[in-house]
Amino acid sequence: MAAAAAQCVPLRGSPLAPASPETAKVPASTPTSSAASASPPLRAAVAPSSGRRQLAPPLRCSSSSSESPAPPNLGLLVEVEGVLADVYRFGNRQAFNVAFQSLGLDCANWTEPIYADLVRKARGDEERMLVLFFDRIGWPTSLPTSEKGSFMKSVIREKLKALEDFSASDRLPLHPGVEKFIDDALSEGVPVAILAAYGRNGEKISRSIVKKLGPERTSKIKIVGKDEVEGSFYGQLVLGKGITSSLDEQLIKEARKAEKQRIAEEVASILKLSVDITASESSEKVIAALRAGSEYVGCDVQNCILVAGSQSGVLAAERIGMPCVVVRCSFTARAEFPSAKAVMDGFGGTDLTVSKLLSKKWS
């Protein structure tokens, strides 16, 4: 492919104009309650030595001890991409350029204005970004039309390899102030969970970024990946992952159906429309991570705060009634988040601090 991709045939058309990432609208919603009011609170699941998962004693946000002040009734969930690090500014674009070079595409190079314009027009869909770009400058010579799909997948595959290297290096720094923000939360007795289970670039890259926090800090927080989501009570009961043999199979099916029905009915009542019981795979994945995260920090969803850097996280938090604060990155620089409690540019000072979260003074 390298030989075939070495040259690109330019097509007519003006150069891609600089533009900022697209402003996205978020539909309004209202906080929701748990699937069944009579059900006990969700609790984290553990795997005992017998190999069968059982429900662990509930974790709670507050303490009844009279010897020390009770910690705040609050749990903190933190996204990785856009919050811990601006992957889009310091990783994605550069990784694509590395991929182009490794495939011999010397004619392809994404500057920041070109990358921002492609993100805006393709709404972050990377295959669509490649289509828009090569439609403009010309596709690699000797590349049959029927092979364009496989060509784009090869570019994205090389891009992910390059991004893995970026995420493990100093070239992808943590968001300024995020380490102190996490330390302040822990010192105030606020449990913290980092959500590595979802993200545009996969869990491996997210975990690589989390490692930048250092072993001492990560030992005090919960990292919620795919395994943790599937091992949670929500993962077992609603998603049907790792169900214990002691649970009735039919009950599980009914619980899953009831959860989806509840979500559909709530959306329908808000929009005054008839809604089918269908939720996108990515949406369910984010909701599952949020619910699992709330279990691991020992708080109900309404007593957790999500620090988000993505529209998907904001939408999922809104659907389950979890308060959300947005920290902007290059990908969301001009996006709108009407359902968020606050939208901040960073951490510390006049931006997001733990004291603001505790006092619920969002601005």
Side-chain angles (χ1 to χ4, degrees), residues 257-277:
K257 185 189 301 182
E259 174 69 9
K260 292 184 179 181
Q261 181 67 54
R262 179 188 63 78
I263 294 172
E265 288 175 352
E266 287 168 352
V267 174
S269 66
I270 294 166
L271 301 179
K272 300 187 186 303
L273 296 171
S274 175
V275 180
D276 293 330
I277 307 174

Side-chain angles (χ1 to χ4, degrees), residues 77-225:
L77 309 185
V78 182
E79 290 189 349
V80 177
E81 296 182 7
V83 178
L84 285 190
D86 191 343
V87 179
Y88 311 102
R89 180 180 179 185
F90 297 105
N92 272 6
R93 182 182 67 83
Q94 297 90 328
F96 267 113
N97 286 335
V98 170
F100 295 147
Q101 291 297 314
S102 67
L103 294 173
L105 297 166
D106 295 333
C107 57
N109 181 67
W110 287 358
T111 62
E112 286 196 16
I114 288 176
Y115 178 74
D117 185 50
L118 292 171
V119 168
R120 180 181 65 83
K121 290 179 177 177
R123 300 187 179 185
D125 185 314
E126 294 184 340
E127 286 196 15
R128 181 61 182 159
M129 289 167 65
L130 291 170
V131 170
L132 290 172
F133 180 72
F134 286 107
D135 277 351
R136 179 61 58 88
I137 73 163
W139 290 82
T141 57
S142 304
L143 178 67
T145 302
S146 60
E147 294 183 11
K148 286 183 178 180
S150 60
F151 165 73
M152 289 186 293
K153 284 181 171 55
S154 68
V155 174
I156 293 174
R157 187 165 52 249
E158 290 296 322
K159 172 253 181 181
L160 284 173
K161 290 179 183 178
L163 188 57
E164 287 178 12
D165 293 336
F166 268 97
S167 64
S169 71
D170 294 336
R171 292 173 290 177
L172 182 57
L174 291 174
H175 205 134
V178 71
E179 293 165 294
K180 184 179 185 304
F181 175 77
I182 292 174
D183 290 341
D184 289 347
L186 295 173
S187 67
E188 291 288 346
V190 178
V192 179
I194 305 294
L195 304 176
Y198 65 90
R200 288 176 175 268
N201 296 293
E203 183 175 338
K204 183 177 181 180
I205 289 173
S206 290
R207 286 186 176 273
S208 182
I209 295 171
V210 172
K211 285 183 179 180
K212 294 176 181 289
L213 293 170
E216 182 178 353
R217 193 174 286 111
T218 55
S219 69
K220 301 175 184 177
I221 61 181
K222 182 66 180 181
I223 302 172
V224 181

Side-chain angles (χ1 to χ4, degrees), residues 266-305:
E266 287 168 352
V267 174
S269 66
I270 294 166
L271 301 179
K272 300 187 186 303
L273 296 171
S274 175
V275 180
D276 293 330
I277 307 174
T278 55
S280 69
E281 181 181 350
S282 59
S283 176
E284 287 201 357
K285 185 177 182 180
V286 179
I287 289 174
L290 296 185
R291 288 197 179 277
S294 72
E295 290 181 40
Y296 286 114
V297 298
C299 295
D300 296 330
V301 293
Q302 66 268 23
N303 291 328
C304 293
I305 296 178

